[in-house]
């Protein structure tokens, strides 16, 4: 069940980031909302969301510095 939740959160996060980033890869964009607001919008726990951001970063899917995001894959 835990793995399914992680995949669900990952899909929600990536769908949002692709929408905000205009679907363009290797382009830096700034999140238009706080991480707290984003977690509320996505209906996910903020700490779980941040952990998934960290995992995505470690896996080389994205680069994150504050609210600046670059999708790498």
């Amino acid at each position: 069940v835990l793995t399914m939740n992680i995949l669900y959160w990952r899909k929600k996060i990536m769908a949002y980031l692709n929408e905000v980033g205009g679907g363009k890869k290797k382009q830096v964009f700034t999140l238009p909302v706080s991480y707290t607001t984003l977690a509320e919008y996505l209906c996910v726990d903020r700490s779980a969301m941040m952990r998934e951001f960290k995992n995505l970063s470690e896996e080389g899917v994205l680069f994150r510095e504050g609210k600046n995001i670059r999708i790498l894959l």
Side-chain angles (χ1 to χ4, degrees):
V1 174
L2 182 59
T3 304
M4 291 176 68
N5 283 341
I6 292 170
L7 292 174
Y8 177 70
W9 296 328
R10 179 176 287 224
K11 282 183 179 182
K12 288 181 94 165
I13 291 168
M14 290 307 298
Y16 177 82
L17 294 178
N18 283 322
E19 183 178 322
V20 171
K24 299 175 185 170
K25 295 181 181 178
K26 303 204 183 229
Q27 181 173 341
V28 177
F29 59 92
T30 302
L31 290 177
V33 296
S34 70
Y35 284 108
T36 301
T37 303
L38 178 57
E40 290 171 358
Y41 175 75
L42 297 176
C43 299
V44 298
D45 179 69
R46 186 184 185 281
S47 62
M49 181 188 74
M50 295 307 292
R51 188 169 35 254
E52 194 55 33
F53 266 108
K54 181 181 175 211
N55 291 340
L56 289 165
S57 181
E58 289 175 351
E59 293 171 17
V61 175
L62 60 83
F63 175 78
R64 179 177 67 93
E65 185 173 52
K67 289 176 58 175
N68 297 319
I69 307 284
R70 178 181 297 159
I71 298 175
L72 302 172
L73 297 177

